Amino acid sequence: MSATRLLVLGVVRMHDGSGGAHGYQVRRELLSWSADKWANVQPGSIYHALKRLALEGLLEQVETPQGKGPDRLAYTLTDAGEDAFQHELQQRIADVDGAAGGAYEFSAALVFITALPRQLALDLLEYRLVQLEGQRANVGTVLDKGIEWGQPAHVNELYRLWLAHCDADISWTSGLIARLRAGEYVMADDAGHNFGSAAPTAMS
């Protein structure tokens, strides 16, 4: 699932309690988060995703009596859409390969992490951390053995860059785990959770 599709599902989900979300509301919400910068979401792709997700049964079109023209149509999440959202959210949070090869998708999942129960989010992040540590060990081995394996010496700069990325990701993931354990952020199973009332909580 693309970052755009995950973000669209998540934003519609936020508006489910208020009767659904119009296309312009989804577009305005995502652009106000600068999702076009960090998730490469293009305005036209938002409307395309809404239509495709409705055709696939993940969203349902509902008419709103106060709307006119295209604005009379709003979208709500179906049960299948909720299942797809939760599956993709959890997979993207936990999957290092997905995060490394698809940073847009990981970013899209991260902004909805508070839609998960706290312990589930912790379990997924701890699984991710184990993968990152293994990835770092593998990169370190290649860096140590590269010249012995016949690689040109300057190629090691690429592995040093990857190693730095691994170290940064491990540090950030460990920090987020610590913050969640300390009770930061209102998660899905916390009292007072109402994800539809505001934009995603920023992760520090």
Side-chain angles (χ1 to χ4, degrees):
M1 182 180 289
S2 70
T4 298
R5 285 164 61 91
L6 179 58
L7 286 166
V8 167
L9 283 176
V11 172
V12 172
R13 185 177 186 271
M14 288 170 54
H15 288 271
D16 262 3
S18 57
H22 296 280
Y24 73 87
Q25 289 177 304
V26 177
R27 179 181 183 276
R28 182 179 61 196
E29 193 84 47
L30 290 176
L31 293 181
S32 75
W33 302 349
S34 299
D36 54 323
K37 306 291 193 305
W38 49 261
N40 198 34
V41 173
Q42 303 305 313
S45 67
I46 295 170
Y47 295 102
H48 177 72
L50 284 166
K51 292 176 182 177
R52 288 297 308 172
L53 290 165
L55 285 173
E56 293 168 16
L58 303 183
L59 296 179
E60 180 181 4
Q61 285 186 335
V62 295
E63 289 199 11
T64 55
Q66 68 273 24
K68 295 181 180 180
D71 291 346
R72 76 183 187 282
L73 292 177
Y75 295 87
T76 61
L77 207 63
T78 65
D79 290 342
E82 175 67 16
D83 290 344
F85 172 78
Q86 289 290 340
H87 173 79
E88 189 69 14
L89 175 61
Q90 293 173 37
Q91 183 176 22
R92 293 297 180 180
I93 292 294
D95 185 6
V96 169
D97 290 334
Y104 295 145
E105 288 79 5
F106 178 71
S107 298
L110 182 60
V111 298
F112 292 116
I113 195 171
T114 55
L116 297 173
R118 187 175 300 275
Q119 188 57 54
L120 177 56
L122 284 167
D123 290 344
L124 294 170
L125 288 167
E126 286 166 353
Y127 177 75
R128 183 174 188 273
L129 185 59
V130 170
Q131 293 182 84
L132 287 168
E133 289 168 344
Q135 190 177 77
R136 189 199 187 284
N138 290 337
V139 175
T141 298
V142 174
L143 185 59
D144 291 340
K145 301 292 186 180
I147 294 178
E148 294 179 21
W149 294 344
Q151 294 173 178
H154 68 274
V155 174
N156 280 343
E157 293 304 327
L158 176 61
Y159 298 120
R160 290 189 180 99
L161 176 61
W162 287 351
L163 202 62
H165 283 311
C166 287
D167 287 339
D169 209 344
I170 288 169
S171 175
W172 173 82
T173 303
S174 299
L176 179 53
I177 289 170
R179 289 187 287 276
L180 287 174
R181 283 177 176 159
E184 287 198 38
Y185 310 118
V186 180
M187 305 300 288
D189 55 343
D190 290 338
H193 181 271
N194 182 13
F195 192 77
S197 64
T201 305
M203 296 293 164
S204 57

